[in-house]
Amino acid sequence: MKRTGLSLGGGSLRGVAHIGVLKELKEQGIEITHIAGTSAGAVVGGLFASGMHPEQMKSVLHDLSIRRHIDIGFNRKGWIKGDRIYQTLLKLTDGKHFSDLDIPFAVICVDLVSGKMMVIDAGEVAIAIRASIAIPGVFSPVEIGNKILVDGYILNNNPADIVREMGAEKVTSVRVQSSHVHQPTNLFSVLNRYIDIASDQNTDRCLEEHSDILIDIDLQDIGRFETKSLSKVIELGQLEAQKVLFHRQSKVIYIDQWMQKVH
């Protein structure tokens, strides 16, 4: 049996590329033994671990109204409350807890109180995913006990190390990024670029040390929150997975050689 653990990075709406990767891995008969994800990676990974097939994810995405999920709160911790998103996640995961999942799964967040990375692998899956997509200043954080949890992007945007710690013998990582860096033109874009640089440094170190196989998805000019290109992004995710399965750069790697890396 071909087996691998899987780490899925964040990428806002561009993270739907993970659906295409999962589709290709399933079609190649590769068993996913462990999953850890940050932000968008936590969403896709959590749905998959909860039993949803990639094709089902595509159908859900097609019928999903993003506007209907924006509940403006204007409170002091975020301008989107996130209650509607949480209710949808609760429905899509069937209200499952981590202990109900067939595939070991972990979600990466940052605790604003301690300033530390939090690995959530117990309790309700939907609330953990909701915490991991809580972009500071945009979505309200999730408060659990004395913790204030937000998106894990800044500290660990692609948790290959966590997948390894979960017990995976081999780790395949999926990174969604854009090689086209726009010149910052306003305060928001300056801050966004500043955070990106810090996150990329952490991510690169983590992947270099802990990932056996990297599926790099370069979406170039597709924006983080661009809704019109979601189907295209999923297709690109599957295409990039196929490229890695069958060859790397200009040198062909035959499928049986790749399989040896993941079982």
Side-chain angles (χ1 to χ4, degrees), residues 199-217:
S199 177
D200 288 348
Q201 294 290 323
N202 291 335
T203 300
D204 289 346
R205 282 194 295 269
C206 182
L207 293 177
E208 184 176 346
E209 292 178 16
H210 300 285
S211 182
D212 297 298
I213 298 169
L214 176 62
I215 299 174
D216 238 337
I217 305 171

Side-chain angles (χ1 to χ4, degrees), residues 8-19 37-45 61 64 66 85 129 132-136 138-139 151-154 157 174-178 188 192 195-196 199 217 219 222-227 229-230 233-234:
L8 302 176
S12 302
L13 292 181
R14 295 184 303 198
V16 299
H18 295 314
I19 298 173
T38 303
S39 195
V43 176
V44 175
L61 190 65
L64 195 66
I66 293 176
I85 292 175
I129 297 173
S132 192
I133 63 172
I135 303 171
V138 179
F139 290 98
D151 191 326
Y153 177 75
I154 189 66
N157 193 41
V174 185
R175 177 168 57 185
V176 179
Q177 60 181 348
S178 172
F188 177 78
N192 189 56
I195 294 170
D196 280 350
S199 177
I217 305 171
L219 298 176
I222 297 176
R224 291 177 184 272
F225 301 101
E226 190 174 316
T227 58
S229 300
L230 295 182
V233 169
I234 294 173

Side-chain angles (χ1 to χ4, degrees), residues 93-213:
T93 58
D94 294 324
K96 290 182 178 179
H97 285 222
F98 285 85
S99 57
D100 300 321
L101 304 179
D102 292 330
I103 303 174
F105 175 55
V107 169
I108 308 303
C109 300
V110 169
D111 175 21
L112 293 180
V113 177
S114 67
K116 296 180 180 179
M117 180 184 75
M118 301 298 300
V119 180
I120 305 178
D121 58 4
E124 185 186 89
V125 174
I127 196 66
I129 297 173
R130 166 64 182 85
S132 192
I133 63 172
I135 303 171
V138 179
F139 290 98
S140 297
V142 171
E143 299 186 27
I144 300 177
N146 61 350
K147 297 179 175 62
I148 300 178
L149 302 176
V150 296
D151 191 326
Y153 177 75
I154 189 66
L155 293 185
N156 194 340
N157 193 41
N158 205 311
D161 55 334
I162 304 304
V163 177
R164 186 78 69 189
E165 290 175 10
M166 292 167 72
E169 294 181 9
K170 298 294 181 181
V171 178
T172 299
S173 300
V174 185
R175 177 168 57 185
V176 179
Q177 60 181 348
S178 172
S179 61
H180 189 177
V181 178
H182 294 277
Q183 184 79 13
T185 57
N186 53 49
L187 176 61
F188 177 78
S189 61
V190 168
L191 289 173
N192 189 56
R193 180 59 184 149
Y194 176 70
I195 294 170
D196 280 350
I197 292 170
S199 177
D200 288 348
Q201 294 290 323
N202 291 335
T203 300
D204 289 346
R205 282 194 295 269
C206 182
L207 293 177
E208 184 176 346
E209 292 178 16
H210 300 285
S211 182
D212 297 298
I213 298 169

